[in-house]
Amino acid sequence: MLFLLFILFGCLTGVTTVLFGFGGGFVVVPLLYRALSAADAHAPGQSAMHIAIATSTAAMILSASLATRKHRLAGNILWPYLWPLGGFIGLGAVMGAGATMLASSDVVRLVFVAYLGVTLLDCLARRGFLARSGAGSPQRLGQAQTVAGGLAIGLVATFLGVGGSVMTVPLLRRRGLSMAQATAMANPLSLPVAVPGTLAYVAMAWYQPVALGSGFLGYIDLAALGLLALGSLAGIHLAAPLAGRIPDRVHARVYLGLLALVMVSMMFK
C-alpha cells in the first residue's frame, strides 16, 4: 500500500511541479513525515522531519530539471531573471541545510506551518498576487531584492525542503510576471536549492550519525526517492500539455488553495 502511495504522490509531485513550480516539497514533505513518524523502527521520530526534507530536496533535482525543460520548450523561461538570483539562492541553500540540522523535527514542522500561513496572508492582503500587477510590462529585480531575496529564498526553501516556489512565485508575480511565467521560473530557481541542499544533507548526516539503518544515503530515504521519481516522471508527462494554459486568476487562486491544504495537513502530528 505504501509502495503505491509513494508512486501516486510522486505523480502528484510531477503535476504540481510543472503547473505551480512546487518542486515536490509541498507534496513529499507531509507524506514522508507521516509515513516515517509511523514507523519508528525504520526512522526514529526525532529524525522523521529531517528525512522527509532531505528526501524531498533530492527528489526536487529530477522533477525541477524535467519541468524546466518542458517550460523552456514552451517558451515560458525568462532567462534574465535567473542570474544572479540563482547564485544567491544556492548560497542561502547551504545555510538553510545547516540550520535544519540544528533544529528538532517538531520545530521544523511548526516553522513549515507558520511560514505557509504568513505566505498565504501576505498573498491575500497585498496587491499584486491574485491580480497581476503591471500586466504586459514585467520589471527586473533590483539589487537588494536579488541579494537579500536570493539568500532568504535559499535558506527558507532548504530549511523546509520545499523548493523556492513559495517565495519566488510571489516575488516574480509582483514584478509583473504572469502566473505561467512565475511558476515556470520557480523550477530552474529550485535547482540551486536542490543540488547544494542534497549534498549538505548527505554530508551532515555522516558528520552527525543517526541510527537510520540500511537504505539511506545520509538522511535521504533511497527507496522512497526511487518511487517518488518514478511517479514524478508520469506526472510531468501528464501535466505538460496544461502548462501556460490555465487562466491567470484561476492559476493564482489554485496556487494559494494548495498552500492552504498543505498547511492544514501539517498542523497536526
Side-chain angles (χ1 to χ4, degrees):
M1 180 63 183
L2 193 59
F3 176 92
L4 294 176
L5 192 61
F6 278 128
I7 292 181
L8 176 61
F9 273 71
C11 184
L12 185 56
T13 291
V15 171
T16 57
T17 298
V18 171
L19 300 182
F20 303 99
F22 282 165
F26 289 106
V27 176
V28 173
V29 171
L31 169 67
L32 277 177
Y33 175 73
R34 300 294 180 192
L36 296 173
S37 296
D40 287 343
H42 183 233
Q46 66 270 23
S47 300
M49 194 66 180
H50 295 107
I51 295 169
I53 290 174
T55 306
S56 167
T57 304
M60 202 184 304
I61 297 176
L62 175 64
S63 60
S65 296
L66 293 177
T68 296
R69 181 177 180 275
K70 294 289 186 181
H71 281 294
R72 180 181 63 81
L73 295 175
N76 293 327
I77 302 295
L78 303 178
W79 300 104
Y81 289 87
L82 293 182
W83 185 262
L85 180 62
F88 288 105
I89 289 176
L91 180 58
V94 176
M95 298 164 57
T100 304
M101 293 302 103
L102 298 176
S104 70
S105 186
D106 281 341
V107 167
V108 176
R109 180 180 64 85
L110 292 174
V111 172
F112 188 99
V113 172
Y115 186 76
L116 288 179
V118 170
T119 301
L120 283 166
L121 290 175
D122 179 67
C123 290
L124 291 170
R126 284 205 297 158
R127 296 179 59 188
F129 187 85
L130 287 175
R132 182 180 177 185
S133 61
S137 57
Q139 302 175 14
R140 295 289 297 272
L141 296 171
Q143 184 175 2
Q145 291 172 313
T146 299
V147 177
L151 290 174
I153 290 168
L155 194 155
V156 172
T158 309
F159 186 83
L160 301 178
V162 296
S165 173
V166 72
M167 298 181 75
T168 55
V169 171
L171 175 65
L172 295 175
R173 179 72 166 163
R174 291 196 172 93
R175 303 309 293 175
L177 274 67
S178 68
M179 279 298 295
Q181 293 169 328
T183 54
M185 296 295 295
N187 287 296
L189 290 174
S190 290
L191 291 174
V193 171
V195 175
T198 297
L199 295 176
Y201 284 124
V202 171
M204 288 177 184
W206 283 339
Y207 179 72
Q208 297 178 335
V210 289
L212 298 177
S214 61
F216 285 85
L217 178 62
Y219 278 103
I220 299 171
D221 186 326
L222 295 177
L225 177 62
L227 294 173
L228 290 166
L230 183 63
S232 180
L233 290 173
I236 289 172
H237 178 73
L238 289 172
L242 296 176
R245 297 186 178 182
I246 303 175
D248 195 72
R249 285 180 177 269
V250 174
H251 205 165
R253 284 170 169 77
V254 175
Y255 179 93
L256 294 183
L258 289 174
L259 293 189
L261 181 63
V262 173
M263 183 184 71
V264 171
S265 75
M266 289 296 291
M267 288 177 67
F268 307 100
K269 294 185 66 175

mmCIF file of all heavy atoms in Angstrom, residues 13 17 21-25 28 53-66 157-158 161-164 186-187 189-191 193-195 198 225:
data_model
loop_
_atom_site.group_PDB
_atom_site.id
_atom_site.type_symbol
_atom_site.label_atom_id
_atom_site.label_comp_id
_atom_site.label_asym_id
_atom_site.label_seq_id
_atom_site.Cartn_x
_atom_site.Cartn_y
_atom_site.Cartn_z
ATOM 1 N N THR A 13 3.430 15.074 -7.417
ATOM 2 C CA THR A 13 4.599 15.960 -7.385
ATOM 3 C C THR A 13 4.923 16.474 -8.778
ATOM 4 O O THR A 13 5.187 17.660 -8.985
ATOM 5 C CB THR A 13 5.814 15.212 -6.810
ATOM 6 O OG1 THR A 13 5.610 14.965 -5.427
ATOM 7 C CG2 THR A 13 7.089 16.023 -6.983
ATOM 8 N N THR A 17 4.704 20.341 -9.868
ATOM 9 C CA THR A 17 5.968 20.964 -10.266
ATOM 10 C C THR A 17 5.810 21.701 -11.583
ATOM 11 O O THR A 17 6.239 22.849 -11.732
ATOM 12 C CB THR A 17 7.083 19.908 -10.383
ATOM 13 O OG1 THR A 17 7.291 19.299 -9.109
ATOM 14 C CG2 THR A 17 8.388 20.544 -10.845
ATOM 15 N N GLY A 21 5.306 25.012 -9.934
ATOM 16 C CA GLY A 21 6.706 25.208 -9.567
ATOM 17 C C GLY A 21 7.056 24.732 -8.184
ATOM 18 O O GLY A 21 8.075 25.129 -7.620
ATOM 19 N N PHE A 22 6.239 23.834 -7.600
ATOM 20 C CA PHE A 22 6.457 23.430 -6.216
ATOM 21 C C PHE A 22 7.717 22.589 -6.019
ATOM 22 O O PHE A 22 8.230 22.503 -4.925
ATOM 23 C CB PHE A 22 5.249 22.637 -5.696
ATOM 24 C CG PHE A 22 4.083 23.496 -5.315
ATOM 25 C CD1 PHE A 22 2.836 22.937 -5.118
ATOM 26 C CD2 PHE A 22 4.230 24.865 -5.153
ATOM 27 C CE1 PHE A 22 1.742 23.725 -4.760
ATOM 28 C CE2 PHE A 22 3.147 25.658 -4.806
ATOM 29 C CZ PHE A 22 1.905 25.092 -4.608
ATOM 30 N N GLY A 23 8.194 21.903 -7.047
ATOM 31 C CA GLY A 23 9.381 21.100 -6.899
ATOM 32 C C GLY A 23 9.170 19.844 -6.077
ATOM 33 O O GLY A 23 10.100 19.086 -5.836
ATOM 34 N N GLY A 24 7.970 19.620 -5.595
ATOM 35 C CA GLY A 24 7.662 18.395 -4.878
ATOM 36 C C GLY A 24 7.564 18.524 -3.379
ATOM 37 O O GLY A 24 6.928 17.706 -2.719
ATOM 38 N N GLY A 25 8.206 19.539 -2.803
ATOM 39 C CA GLY A 25 8.275 19.626 -1.351
ATOM 40 C C GLY A 25 6.937 19.693 -0.651
ATOM 41 O O GLY A 25 6.746 19.061 0.398
ATOM 42 N N VAL A 28 5.668 16.050 -0.969
ATOM 43 C CA VAL A 28 6.533 15.000 -0.430
ATOM 44 C C VAL A 28 6.748 15.137 1.078
ATOM 45 O O VAL A 28 6.704 14.139 1.809
ATOM 46 C CB VAL A 28 7.888 15.001 -1.152
ATOM 47 C CG1 VAL A 28 8.860 14.023 -0.499
ATOM 48 C CG2 VAL A 28 7.696 14.646 -2.627
ATOM 49 N N ILE A 53 12.510 16.098 4.644
ATOM 50 C CA ILE A 53 13.034 17.274 3.955
ATOM 51 C C ILE A 53 14.197 16.897 3.049
ATOM 52 O O ILE A 53 14.287 17.356 1.899
ATOM 53 C CB ILE A 53 13.462 18.340 4.981
ATOM 54 C CG1 ILE A 53 12.226 18.941 5.655
ATOM 55 C CG2 ILE A 53 14.284 19.447 4.311
ATOM 56 C CD1 ILE A 53 12.545 19.892 6.783
ATOM 57 N N ALA A 54 15.109 16.052 3.536
ATOM 58 C CA ALA A 54 16.261 15.653 2.736
ATOM 59 C C ALA A 54 15.825 14.875 1.492
ATOM 60 O O ALA A 54 16.333 15.113 0.386
ATOM 61 C CB ALA A 54 17.212 14.814 3.581
ATOM 62 N N THR A 55 14.877 13.954 1.643
ATOM 63 C CA THR A 55 14.399 13.162 0.516
ATOM 64 C C THR A 55 13.646 14.040 -0.482
ATOM 65 O O THR A 55 13.787 13.887 -1.699
ATOM 66 C CB THR A 55 13.487 12.020 1.004
ATOM 67 O OG1 THR A 55 14.187 11.253 1.987
ATOM 68 C CG2 THR A 55 13.085 11.119 -0.139
ATOM 69 N N SER A 56 12.868 14.978 0.042
ATOM 70 C CA SER A 56 12.153 15.918 -0.817
ATOM 71 C C SER A 56 13.131 16.754 -1.638
ATOM 72 O O SER A 56 12.936 16.979 -2.831
ATOM 73 C CB SER A 56 11.271 16.837 0.028
ATOM 74 O OG SER A 56 10.809 17.928 -0.724
ATOM 75 N N THR A 57 14.196 17.203 -0.986
ATOM 76 C CA THR A 57 15.195 18.033 -1.667
ATOM 77 C C THR A 57 15.881 17.250 -2.780
ATOM 78 O O THR A 57 16.128 17.780 -3.867
ATOM 79 C CB THR A 57 16.235 18.546 -0.654
ATOM 80 O OG1 THR A 57 15.557 19.240 0.398
ATOM 81 C CG2 THR A 57 17.209 19.500 -1.313
ATOM 82 N N ALA A 58 16.181 15.973 -2.528
ATOM 83 C CA ALA A 58 16.808 15.143 -3.553
ATOM 84 C C ALA A 58 15.849 14.891 -4.722
ATOM 85 O O ALA A 58 16.252 14.940 -5.897
ATOM 86 C CB ALA A 58 17.259 13.819 -2.941
ATOM 87 N N ALA A 59 14.582 14.617 -4.417
ATOM 88 C CA ALA A 59 13.588 14.374 -5.468
ATOM 89 C C ALA A 59 13.393 15.608 -6.337
ATOM 90 O O ALA A 59 13.042 15.511 -7.523
ATOM 91 C CB ALA A 59 12.263 13.950 -4.836
ATOM 92 N N MET A 60 13.622 16.757 -5.742
ATOM 93 C CA MET A 60 13.427 18.020 -6.453
ATOM 94 C C MET A 60 14.384 18.175 -7.629
ATOM 95 O O MET A 60 14.060 18.840 -8.622
ATOM 96 C CB MET A 60 13.647 19.172 -5.463
ATOM 97 C CG MET A 60 13.021 20.484 -5.824
ATOM 98 S SD MET A 60 13.488 21.717 -4.593
ATOM 99 C CE MET A 60 12.933 20.927 -3.080
ATOM 100 N N ILE A 61 15.568 17.557 -7.543
ATOM 101 C CA ILE A 61 16.541 17.685 -8.627
ATOM 102 C C ILE A 61 15.964 17.167 -9.931
ATOM 103 O O ILE A 61 16.022 17.828 -10.977
ATOM 104 C CB ILE A 61 17.848 16.939 -8.275
ATOM 105 C CG1 ILE A 61 18.507 17.562 -7.049
ATOM 106 C CG2 ILE A 61 18.813 16.962 -9.466
ATOM 107 C CD1 ILE A 61 19.742 16.823 -6.575
ATOM 108 N N LEU A 62 15.371 15.966 -9.878
ATOM 109 C CA LEU A 62 14.791 15.375 -11.088
ATOM 110 C C LEU A 62 13.558 16.133 -11.550
ATOM 111 O O LEU A 62 13.452 16.519 -12.725
ATOM 112 C CB LEU A 62 14.431 13.913 -10.834
ATOM 113 C CG LEU A 62 13.701 13.203 -11.987
ATOM 114 C CD1 LEU A 62 14.606 13.124 -13.211
ATOM 115 C CD2 LEU A 62 13.247 11.814 -11.561
ATOM 116 N N SER A 63 12.623 16.370 -10.646
ATOM 117 C CA SER A 63 11.356 16.991 -11.042
ATOM 118 C C SER A 63 11.562 18.408 -11.572
ATOM 119 O O SER A 63 10.980 18.786 -12.591
ATOM 120 C CB SER A 63 10.371 16.987 -9.870
ATOM 121 O OG SER A 63 10.886 17.705 -8.769
ATOM 122 N N ALA A 64 12.398 19.187 -10.897
ATOM 123 C CA ALA A 64 12.630 20.572 -11.339
ATOM 124 C C ALA A 64 13.377 20.615 -12.665
ATOM 125 O O ALA A 64 13.113 21.476 -13.512
ATOM 126 C CB ALA A 64 13.391 21.345 -10.267
ATOM 127 N N SER A 65 14.312 19.678 -12.861
ATOM 128 C CA SER A 65 15.072 19.644 -14.119
ATOM 129 C C SER A 65 14.158 19.328 -15.297
ATOM 130 O O SER A 65 14.210 20.001 -16.345
ATOM 131 C CB SER A 65 16.189 18.608 -14.029
ATOM 132 O OG SER A 65 17.130 18.944 -13.049
ATOM 133 N N LEU A 66 13.325 18.301 -15.146
ATOM 134 C CA LEU A 66 12.429 17.915 -16.233
ATOM 135 C C LEU A 66 11.375 18.989 -16.501
ATOM 136 O O LEU A 66 11.043 19.273 -17.656
ATOM 137 C CB LEU A 66 11.758 16.587 -15.901
ATOM 138 C CG LEU A 66 12.681 15.364 -15.850
ATOM 139 C CD1 LEU A 66 11.900 14.120 -15.448
ATOM 140 C CD2 LEU A 66 13.371 15.148 -17.189
ATOM 141 N N ALA A 157 13.809 27.799 1.814
ATOM 142 C CA ALA A 157 13.401 26.659 0.989
ATOM 143 C C ALA A 157 14.124 25.384 1.401
ATOM 144 O O ALA A 157 13.516 24.308 1.485
ATOM 145 C CB ALA A 157 13.655 26.960 -0.477
ATOM 146 N N THR A 158 15.429 25.470 1.678
ATOM 147 C CA THR A 158 16.179 24.280 2.078
ATOM 148 C C THR A 158 15.837 23.881 3.499
ATOM 149 O O THR A 158 15.767 22.691 3.828
ATOM 150 C CB THR A 158 17.690 24.536 1.958
ATOM 151 O OG1 THR A 158 17.967 25.064 0.664
ATOM 152 C CG2 THR A 158 18.478 23.244 2.122
ATOM 153 N N GLY A 161 12.586 22.223 2.913
ATOM 154 C CA GLY A 161 12.547 21.184 1.897
ATOM 155 C C GLY A 161 11.485 21.370 0.846
ATOM 156 O O GLY A 161 10.962 20.397 0.306
ATOM 157 N N VAL A 162 11.160 22.617 0.514
ATOM 158 C CA VAL A 162 10.022 22.861 -0.372
ATOM 159 C C VAL A 162 10.378 23.536 -1.690
ATOM 160 O O VAL A 162 9.501 23.944 -2.426
ATOM 161 C CB VAL A 162 8.960 23.730 0.350
ATOM 162 C CG1 VAL A 162 8.392 22.987 1.530
ATOM 163 C CG2 VAL A 162 9.550 25.069 0.797
ATOM 164 N N GLY A 163 11.645 23.671 -2.005
ATOM 165 C CA GLY A 163 11.980 24.394 -3.220
ATOM 166 C C GLY A 163 11.745 25.880 -3.019
ATOM 167 O O GLY A 163 11.425 26.336 -1.928
ATOM 168 N N GLY A 164 11.876 26.667 -4.066
ATOM 169 C CA GLY A 164 11.752 28.105 -3.894
ATOM 170 C C GLY A 164 10.409 28.682 -4.276
ATOM 171 O O GLY A 164 10.195 29.885 -4.144
ATOM 172 N N ALA A 186 10.038 29.219 -11.238
ATOM 173 C CA ALA A 186 10.304 28.582 -9.946
ATOM 174 C C ALA A 186 11.050 27.266 -10.118
ATOM 175 O O ALA A 186 11.761 26.834 -9.201
ATOM 176 C CB ALA A 186 8.993 28.346 -9.197
ATOM 177 N N ASN A 187 10.921 26.631 -11.274
ATOM 178 C CA ASN A 187 11.586 25.337 -11.486
ATOM 179 C C ASN A 187 13.099 25.465 -11.631
ATOM 180 O O ASN A 187 13.835 24.815 -10.868
ATOM 181 C CB ASN A 187 10.968 24.630 -12.690
ATOM 182 C CG ASN A 187 9.590 24.099 -12.381
ATOM 183 O OD1 ASN A 187 9.429 23.232 -11.535
ATOM 184 N ND2 ASN A 187 8.580 24.620 -13.052
ATOM 185 N N LEU A 189 14.852 27.892 -10.668
ATOM 186 C CA LEU A 189 15.320 28.525 -9.438
ATOM 187 C C LEU A 189 15.241 27.579 -8.241
ATOM 188 O O LEU A 189 15.740 27.910 -7.160
ATOM 189 C CB LEU A 189 14.515 29.801 -9.163
ATOM 190 C CG LEU A 189 14.794 30.956 -10.119
ATOM 191 C CD1 LEU A 189 13.847 32.127 -9.866
ATOM 192 C CD2 LEU A 189 16.249 31.439 -9.995
ATOM 193 N N SER A 190 14.624 26.404 -8.422
ATOM 194 C CA SER A 190 14.638 25.387 -7.375
ATOM 195 C C SER A 190 15.912 24.552 -7.415
ATOM 196 O O SER A 190 16.302 23.950 -6.407
ATOM 197 C CB SER A 190 13.428 24.452 -7.518
ATOM 198 O OG SER A 190 12.228 25.115 -7.182
ATOM 199 N N LEU A 191 16.574 24.506 -8.563
ATOM 200 C CA LEU A 191 17.785 23.693 -8.687
ATOM 201 C C LEU A 191 18.934 24.195 -7.799
ATOM 202 O O LEU A 191 19.655 23.383 -7.213
ATOM 203 C CB LEU A 191 18.220 23.618 -10.149
ATOM 204 C CG LEU A 191 17.284 22.801 -11.045
ATOM 205 C CD1 LEU A 191 17.696 22.903 -12.499
ATOM 206 C CD2 LEU A 191 17.259 21.339 -10.601
ATOM 207 N N VAL A 193 18.595 25.308 -4.993
ATOM 208 C CA VAL A 193 18.217 24.827 -3.659
ATOM 209 C C VAL A 193 18.466 23.327 -3.564
ATOM 210 O O VAL A 193 19.050 22.830 -2.591
ATOM 211 C CB VAL A 193 16.729 25.119 -3.370
ATOM 212 C CG1 VAL A 193 16.279 24.426 -2.092
ATOM 213 C CG2 VAL A 193 16.493 26.619 -3.267
ATOM 214 N N ALA A 194 18.046 22.596 -4.588
ATOM 215 C CA ALA A 194 18.052 21.135 -4.539
ATOM 216 C C ALA A 194 19.454 20.535 -4.526
ATOM 217 O O ALA A 194 19.740 19.629 -3.732
ATOM 218 C CB ALA A 194 17.259 20.581 -5.720
ATOM 219 N N VAL A 195 20.333 21.021 -5.388
ATOM 220 C CA VAL A 195 21.657 20.393 -5.518
ATOM 221 C C VAL A 195 22.529 20.603 -4.282
ATOM 222 O O VAL A 195 22.959 19.621 -3.654
ATOM 223 C CB VAL A 195 22.365 20.875 -6.800
ATOM 224 C CG1 VAL A 195 23.785 20.313 -6.859
ATOM 225 C CG2 VAL A 195 21.571 20.449 -8.039
ATOM 226 N N THR A 198 20.867 18.920 -1.154
ATOM 227 C CA THR A 198 21.001 17.460 -1.096
ATOM 228 C C THR A 198 22.392 17.057 -0.620
ATOM 229 O O THR A 198 22.545 16.184 0.251
ATOM 230 C CB THR A 198 20.731 16.853 -2.487
ATOM 231 O OG1 THR A 198 19.383 17.129 -2.865
ATOM 232 C CG2 THR A 198 20.956 15.352 -2.479
ATOM 233 N N LEU A 225 12.749 7.753 -2.441
ATOM 234 C CA LEU A 225 13.207 8.617 -3.525
ATOM 235 C C LEU A 225 12.972 7.964 -4.881
ATOM 236 O O LEU A 225 12.499 8.620 -5.822
ATOM 237 C CB LEU A 225 14.692 8.931 -3.340
ATOM 238 C CG LEU A 225 15.360 9.768 -4.434
ATOM 239 C CD1 LEU A 225 14.701 11.143 -4.530
ATOM 240 C CD2 LEU A 225 16.849 9.911 -4.160
#
